[in-house]
């Protein structure tokens, strides 16, 4: 009798998916991708350069081949194009720090079944919507690299380099990555970031290091309660915040951002946006689980959600621009 069952390999890979997180984080910790980028090609060479056991080096290389981040070519290991682009250190788009950070978050997944039953976080220290959550200490700089491509794309879409003396408001700007990239693109622009004081201190330091600190100021506060001003800015940005907010909160914030913009001003929203029928894209769909685990009302919202909220807030022209795995929403 012929067995027509499909292969269990795909299911086994998913069940053991935490191995991929562990191997990737361990490789990032020992700068494996950077060593490979500099010419290391064998387990023996990697062990010597990284200061790790040869058995450990071989195991990491095997695991990285398994998950598609390293490949063998004529008997030597090398980074795949994706690893070379996003996991080599000292690159503005390096996700290696984020890989190390995420390994520390894996323990929270043991609560997910109970969180699904409850419909939200079951531990107070899991919630991200509080200023003193240690969640922010490590994540602010680790996630900055994710926003570099989106910030650069937004600068092109808005033609910021030729925009002249514009004023920018970045709400919940974290590391200040948008302000940094936009101020570098436009030497006549000025930017203001609204965020909690400890986070603003990080942004002030990072933008000073970029050489644009003289055109960057901060306002300490919670964006839910701090006044944005009226007709004060040409451009506003709201990046990776809407997913942790409720629909009502997003409409309220978008309305105040519309009021803060000068006539003809532009709001840029960057987030993980799902299709209207919730059939994709894959990453925003699974990211909703993190919002269930860590926020009281957040989720990954659809394109129609954003369009409806922005129209309610007073914007007339809403467009969407792919910035994988996120989406730029531009509203005027």
């Amino acid at each position: 009798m012929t067995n027509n069952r499909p292969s269990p390999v795909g299911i086994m890979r998913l069940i053991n998916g935490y191995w991929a997180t562990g191997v990737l984080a361990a490789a990032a910790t020992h700068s494996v991708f950077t060593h490979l980028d500099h010419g290391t090609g064998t387990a023996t060479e990697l062990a010597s350069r990284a200061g790790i056991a040869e058995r450990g080096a071989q195991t990491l290389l095997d695991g990285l081949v398994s998950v598609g981040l390293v490949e063998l070519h004529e008997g030597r290991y090398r980074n795949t194009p994706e690893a070379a682009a996003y996991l080599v250190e000292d690159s503005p788009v390096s996700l290696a720090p984020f890989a190390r950070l995420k390994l520390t978050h894996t323990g929270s997944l043991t609560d997910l079944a109970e969180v699904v039953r409850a419909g939200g976080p079951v531990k107070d220290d899991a919630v991200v919507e509080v200023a003193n959550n240690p969640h922010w200490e490590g994540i602010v700089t680790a996630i900055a690299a994710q926003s570099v491509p989106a910030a650069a794309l937004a600068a092109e879409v808005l033609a910021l380099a030729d925009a002249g003396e514009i004023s920018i408001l970045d709400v919940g700007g974290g590391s200040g990555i948008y302000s940094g990239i936009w101020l570098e693109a436009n030497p006549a622009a000025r930017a203001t970031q609204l965020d909690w004081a400890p986070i603003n201190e990080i942004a002030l330091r990072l933008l000073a290091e970029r050489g644009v600190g003289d055109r960057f100021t901060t306002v300490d506060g919670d964006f839910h309660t701090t006044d944005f001003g009226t007709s004060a800015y040409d451009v506003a940005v709201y990046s990776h915040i809407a997913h942790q907010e409720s629909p009502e909160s997003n409409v309220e914030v978008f309305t105040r951002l519309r009021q803060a913009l000068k006539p003809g001003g532009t709001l840029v929203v960057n987030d993980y946006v799902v299709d209207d029928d919730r059939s994709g894209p894959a990453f925003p769909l699974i990211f909703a689980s993190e919002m269930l685990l860590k926020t009281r009302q957040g989720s990954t919202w659809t394109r129609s959600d954003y369009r409806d909220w922005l129209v309610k807030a007073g914007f007339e022209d809403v467009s969407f621009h792919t910035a994988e795995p996120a989406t730029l929403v531009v509203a005027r």
Side-chain angles (χ1 to χ4, degrees):
M1 181 176 177
T2 303
N3 186 344
N4 292 321
R5 290 194 188 97
S7 169
V9 169
I11 299 296
M12 287 293 292
R13 180 176 285 270
L14 290 172
I15 290 172
N16 294 291
Y18 65 97
W19 289 350
T21 303
V23 166
L24 176 49
T29 297
H30 293 294
S31 305
V32 170
F33 305 103
T34 303
H35 290 307
L36 293 177
D37 187 64
H38 293 169
T40 297
T42 68
T44 301
E45 292 172 2
L46 177 59
S48 175
R49 296 197 185 184
I52 59 178
E54 185 168 342
R55 182 187 180 201
Q58 186 63 64
T59 300
L60 280 182
L61 290 169
D62 289 345
L64 294 171
V65 169
S66 171
V67 298
L69 292 174
V70 167
E71 58 190 10
L72 269 168
H73 180 71
E74 296 181 352
R76 293 183 65 81
Y77 292 96
R78 65 184 184 186
N79 292 320
T80 61
E82 292 83 1
Y86 296 108
L87 290 169
V88 175
E89 296 168 333
D90 297 325
S91 162
V93 295
S94 177
L95 296 173
F98 189 52
R100 294 192 293 267
L101 176 70
K102 292 304 289 185
L103 184 61
T104 68
H105 293 177
T106 54
S108 64
L109 287 175
T110 60
D111 294 328
L112 187 56
E114 178 62 16
V115 166
V116 168
R117 186 199 63 77
V122 294
K123 296 178 180 176
D124 290 340
D125 61 358
V127 179
V128 301
E129 304 106 319
V130 291
N132 62 353
N133 191 329
H135 167 88
W136 296 117
E137 182 67 25
I139 202 170
V140 167
T141 53
I143 66 174
Q146 297 181 50
S147 292
V148 171
L153 173 62
E156 294 178 9
V157 171
L158 274 59
L160 291 183
D162 302 317
E165 297 181 7
I166 59 170
S167 55
I168 299 162
L169 173 64
D170 190 348
V171 176
S175 66
I177 190 67
Y178 277 83
S179 294
I181 290 174
W182 291 358
L183 293 178
E184 286 177 342
N186 182 341
R190 304 188 68 85
T192 299
Q193 172 168 303
L194 169 62
D195 215 321
W196 291 314
I199 296 177
N200 280 337
E201 291 176 7
I202 297 172
L204 285 167
R205 183 183 73 250
L206 294 176
L207 267 71
E209 292 173 358
R210 296 180 81 107
V212 296
D214 59 324
R215 292 181 286 126
F216 178 70
T217 57
T218 59
V219 175
D220 297 339
D222 187 320
F223 69 85
H224 295 98
T225 56
T226 303
D227 184 15
F228 297 159
T230 302
S231 299
Y233 302 95
D234 298 287
V235 180
V237 58
Y238 191 68
S239 179
H240 287 302
I241 301 175
H243 61 233
Q244 72 184 41
E245 299 293 311
S246 68
E248 294 77 16
S249 175
N250 283 325
V251 171
E252 193 274 335
V253 173
F254 290 163
T255 300
R256 290 194 290 124
L257 284 170
R258 182 68 191 89
Q259 294 169 351
L261 288 168
K262 298 175 183 178
T266 302
L267 170 62
V268 175
V269 179
N270 181 41
D271 221 309
Y272 302 128
V273 181
V274 298
D275 297 338
D276 288 343
D277 63 359
R278 303 196 75 87
S279 62
F283 185 85
L285 284 175
I286 201 166
F287 186 76
S289 298
E290 179 148 340
M291 292 301 93
L292 183 68
L293 191 68
K294 295 182 178 179
T295 71
R296 295 187 180 94
Q297 301 182 72
S299 185
T300 44
W301 308 109
T302 68
R303 289 188 174 215
S304 291
D305 289 329
Y306 282 97
R307 184 179 289 108
D308 291 347
W309 297 338
L310 289 163
V311 169
K312 286 180 181 178
F315 293 94
E316 298 178 357
D317 180 18
V318 180
S319 60
F320 297 87
H321 308 264
T322 299
E324 289 185 323
T327 297
L328 281 179
V329 189
V330 178
R332 295 180 171 92

